[in-house]
Amino acid sequence: MSALRLISNRTSQQALSNSDYTWDYEYYEYGPVSFEGLKAHKYSIVIGFWVGLAVFVIFMFFVLTLLTKTGAPHQDNTELSEKRFHMNSFVADFGRPLESERVFSHQMAEESQSLFHFCINEVDHMNKEKESQKGPSLESNTHFQEVPKSSGMFEEDLHCLTKFNIPNFVNTEQNSSLGEDDLLISEPPIIL
Amino acid sequence: ENISDFPLNITDCTQVVVPEEVFFTVAAAGILENLLILIAVVRNKNLHLPMYFFICSLAISDMLGSLYKTLENIFIILCKMGYLTRHGDFEKKLDDAMDSMFILSLLGSIFSLLAIAADRYITIFYALRYHNIMTLRRALVILAIIWAFCAGSSIAIALFSYEAATVIPFTILFPLMMCFILCLYVHMFLLARSHAKKIASLPSSTVHHRTNMKGAITLTIFLGVFLCCWAPFVLHILLARFCPHNPYCACYMSIFHVNGTLIMCNAIINPMIFAFRSPELRSTFKKMFYCSR
């Protein structure tokens, strides 16, 4: 890349005119470099850099794996473990599981209903606790949003939602990152 | 100034050359893939959401990077064939413009990734107010500001590339952004984990949990790919500025074309890990391809 040629050109040869500028692959402007008397291998920076990068990425992976450990595995029947797997991947993944889309939708419908009941309980509980403080801010959020009719994946959930007056931002079929919020509604909303 | 010829050692580090066919194939694949994403988002009204606009911004910056490499290759081939002169003001200005396009692509990638991470963060932590915080108009304004800043910085960096004052902030920006994005995602992770624990502890819930590797793998891929594709180039810039005559640095700089190819590979991989994970986008692609038959 020629920008880098310019970097070395101008640092070492300020007096040169434009006519010496050329556009080429070769980096002869760096000047002849003497390779005599090298203590380490000549590609040591390359090797060291890539090894360091690989170690860092693997270290990051292990740290993240430790963070996602949620407890001892339980042995249940295979159907429940199938549901479990889809639920886990839905929670911790930032995208939809690729292969389980169709199967997932039916399972999600059942599971999200139970979750919505849970989060509705949470919301009601929170309402009772701090009615005077949280009331106004919650009311401002409890407006309905239109449910797009294009995909029927979460129709049961949406029906459940509309009954319970929770802000319906479930455009989940379009916005995969918002999909996890079905499950994350149960967190007490962080009111600033 | 006279450049005297040193007797070079026979174990000299020669430039590692990537064949032009490989260059062009990788660049063309990157451009096509990202162009498809742009077309899909524009055509499907359901995808007119802030999240997809940020993914489009990433696609545009990837496309610029691949386009830059393609154009540079074409111009050098034209130079070799004699259609363009090697010296001269016009070529120098063209070269400067293309360098600034490349830096624009790098900065655009970094800020787009940051925007995507911030958008997901707001989605999760301010879930009930997401639609009030991140309206479509705000997302477009944010994108406009990001691209204006990137364009200004890239022109400034390309013009003043010989000063240390531009190289150092450029190379500091890169790890800073990476750390910030990592912190955002780790915080989201911790929330997802605590949430999963809460679900498991429900009395009525029969759902139990086991170690979930998929989230850790996803996040490692996100950041690992970006790091592995861009960090070699950033290191190259640092070494070119500070130790061009050191033999170790010169050997690192001899693999420059491999680093450039890595950046183009990033343009191919990014859509796979961001855009193609959305089922709506995938279904739009299927409709586009099946309808055209």
Side-chain angles (χ1 to χ4, degrees):
Chain A
M1 197 176 85
S2 43
L4 304 162
R5 242 178 295 119
L6 284 177
I7 289 173
S8 71
N9 245 347
R10 293 182 192 179
T11 50
S12 57
Q13 301 156 14
Q14 293 285 343
L16 285 179
S17 62
N18 270 347
S19 62
D20 285 292
Y21 173 85
T22 58
W23 202 354
D24 208 343
Y25 274 136
E26 274 76 42
Y27 286 90
Y28 56 85
E29 295 89 348
Y30 287 130
V33 179
S34 164
F35 282 88
E36 289 167 11
L38 290 184
K39 291 174 208 160
H41 189 261
K42 57 180 178 170
Y43 281 112
S44 53
I45 292 188
V46 179
I47 296 168
F49 171 74
W50 281 104
V51 166
L53 201 60
V55 164
F56 176 73
V57 170
I58 291 171
F59 169 72
M60 195 168 66
F61 175 68
F62 279 124
V63 166
L64 292 171
T65 313
L66 284 173
L67 284 177
T68 58
K69 274 192 202 262
T70 53
H74 288 265
Q75 298 298 324
D76 275 339
N77 54 31
T78 49
E79 192 191 320
L80 262 180
S81 60
E82 186 68 27
K83 270 192 183 181
R84 214 163 54 218
F85 174 73
H86 290 309
M87 181 105 118
N88 285 344
S89 58
F90 195 58
V91 169
D93 193 2
F94 293 112
R96 291 284 172 79
L98 296 175
E99 55 283 344
S100 58
E101 224 173 290
R102 278 176 234 122
V103 183
F104 186 52
S105 60
H106 298 294
Q107 294 168 348
M108 257 320 291
E110 296 168 19
E111 282 171 343
S112 51
Q113 270 205 354
S114 62
L115 280 165
F116 290 141
H117 287 299
F118 169 66
C119 68
I120 288 151
N121 289 337
E122 278 268 353
V123 171
D124 286 343
H125 177 65
M126 200 178 57
N127 271 339
K128 285 167 198 161
E129 266 189 343
K130 304 174 188 177
E131 210 171 329
S132 55
Q133 296 167 20
K134 301 270 186 183
S137 53
L138 266 183
E139 275 161 12
S140 68
N141 286 332
T142 54
H143 56 275
F144 284 105
Q145 299 194 13
E146 267 195 25
V147 175
K149 293 176 186 171
S150 53
S151 160
M153 255 171 81
F154 292 104
E155 273 168 3
E156 294 175 33
D157 321 322
L158 299 173
H159 182 61
C160 176
L161 266 180
T162 53
K163 273 196 289 185
F164 292 101
N165 205 28
I166 280 179
N168 182 11
F169 56 89
V170 184
N171 302 328
T172 51
E173 54 276 358
Q174 288 94 32
N175 192 339
S176 61
S177 77
L178 274 184
E180 291 85 10
D181 298 324
D182 294 338
L183 306 171
L184 293 170
I185 296 170
S186 64
E187 279 284 335
I190 299 166
I191 310 285
L192 289 178
Chain B
E1 200 178 292
N2 226 355
I3 306 170
S4 57
D5 285 351
F6 288 100
L8 287 177
N9 206 342
I10 17 175
T11 56
D12 187 13
C13 285
T14 53
Q15 274 280 328
V16 173
V17 175
V18 175
E20 281 171 10
E21 294 81 20
V22 173
F23 246 26
F24 277 122
T25 313
V26 173
I31 292 174
L32 277 174
E33 210 177 350
N34 290 294
L35 203 58
L36 276 177
I37 289 173
L38 288 176
I39 293 173
V41 170
V42 162
R43 280 175 64 162
N44 187 352
K45 290 277 187 293
N46 289 337
L47 296 176
H48 289 186
L49 294 170
M51 183 183 101
Y52 290 103
F53 286 172
F54 293 134
I55 289 179
C56 276
S57 163
L58 187 64
I60 289 173
S61 52
D62 286 337
M63 226 164 56
L64 279 177
S66 300
L67 206 63
Y68 159 80
K69 275 290 174 191
T70 316
L71 284 176
E72 191 189 44
N73 262 27
I74 290 175
F75 282 125
I76 289 181
I77 290 172
L78 286 176
C79 273
K80 282 185 186 162
M81 285 162 57
Y83 291 115
L84 282 178
T85 56
R86 288 178 168 224
H87 316 270
D89 265 350
F90 170 69
E91 279 76 13
K92 183 173 180 300
K93 288 199 178 108
L94 202 56
D95 190 35
D96 276 341
M98 287 189 4
D99 287 341
S100 64
M101 193 202 313
F102 180 71
I103 296 171
L104 177 68
S105 153
L106 170 59
L107 290 176
S109 282
I110 293 178
F111 281 106
S112 298
L113 285 175
L114 184 65
I116 290 174
D119 178 65
R120 287 176 175 173
Y121 190 85
I122 296 175
T123 299
I124 287 179
F125 284 96
Y126 303 99
L128 291 179
R129 300 192 299 156
Y130 174 77
H131 274 282
N132 291 335
I133 297 175
M134 187 65 77
T135 58
L136 215 59
R137 201 169 151 268
R138 262 188 211 161
L140 289 171
V141 164
I142 289 171
L143 281 176
I145 292 174
I146 286 176
W147 280 98
F149 174 74
C150 293
S153 318
S154 71
I155 292 172
I157 290 174
L159 285 176
F160 301 110
S161 57
Y162 53 89
E163 286 179 25
T166 49
V167 170
I168 291 177
F170 183 66
T171 48
I172 287 177
L173 179 77
F174 182 76
L176 266 181
M177 287 297 196
M178 290 292 303
C179 288
F180 187 55
I181 291 173
L182 188 64
C183 290
L184 285 180
Y185 276 120
V186 164
H187 196 192
M188 285 190 259
F189 241 57
L190 292 175
L191 176 68
R193 182 182 72 149
S194 71
H195 185 80
K197 273 185 181 162
K198 274 190 188 175
I199 293 173
S201 66
L202 284 181
S204 58
S205 163
T206 50
V207 175
H208 298 279
H209 290 274
R210 58 181 188 214
T211 306
N212 188 331
M213 300 282 288
K214 199 165 180 189
I217 293 174
T218 307
L219 193 50
T220 309
I221 291 174
F222 278 172
L223 294 172
V225 161
F226 187 76
L227 210 57
C228 290
C229 291
W230 286 101
F233 173 74
V234 174
L235 184 62
H236 181 106
I237 288 185
L238 266 180
L239 294 181
R241 174 61 188 85
F242 291 113
C243 63
H245 301 293
N246 186 317
Y248 298 112
C249 300
C251 273
Y252 181 83
M253 294 191 287
S254 67
I255 61 167
F256 175 71
H257 294 295
V258 177
N259 297 342
T261 314
L262 277 175
I263 291 174
M264 290 196 293
C265 289
N266 184 50
I268 297 178
I269 297 174
N270 264 347
M272 290 181 201
I273 61 180
F274 284 100
F276 292 160
R277 302 196 74 120
S278 156
E280 180 72 19
L281 201 67
R282 284 201 303 269
S283 67
T284 311
F285 277 128
K286 283 177 200 161
K287 279 182 209 162
M288 270 166 55
F289 285 123
Y290 291 141
C291 283
S292 65
R293 286 183 188 178

